[in-house]
Amino acid sequence: FIYSCGTTLVYFLVYVDEFSLIDNDPNFTKSFKNSLATKFSLKDLDSPSHFLSIELVTTIDDLFLKELS
């Protein structure tokens, strides 16, 4: 799922009972995670290096997705 509002852009990667947020607005993400935590038990794993079979490589300006073989 993709959320876009003004300058905020968030990608929600969802698979069964796991999800990952990739964003350009840490304040939005913190607020969103706090809101979810009031309704669900969450475990923040910080910045993932992999999601499913995709390697996530982040730089200061970019996010690169690399399919693992």
Side-chain angles (χ1 to χ4, degrees):
F1 304 101
I2 300 172
Y3 173 82
S4 178
C5 182
T7 59
T8 300
L9 181 62
V10 182
Y11 294 93
F12 300 87
L13 307 176
V14 180
Y15 181 73
V16 185
D17 63 346
E18 296 183 12
F19 73 93
S20 183
L21 302 176
I22 300 169
D23 66 88
N24 68 344
D25 185 346
N27 292 325
F28 172 85
T29 303
K30 182 178 179 180
S31 173
F32 181 76
K33 287 195 286 188
N34 289 339
S35 178
L36 282 179
T38 65
K39 300 189 183 339
F40 304 99
S41 174
L42 299 180
K43 183 177 180 182
D44 192 347
L45 300 176
D46 203 25
S47 298
S49 59
H50 296 83
F51 186 78
L52 300 177
S53 295
I54 300 171
E55 181 180 7
L56 306 171
V57 180
T58 58
T59 67
I60 292 172
D61 297 320
D62 298 304
L63 168 69
F64 298 96
L65 306 177
K66 179 181 175 185
E67 184 177 9
L68 301 174
S69 43

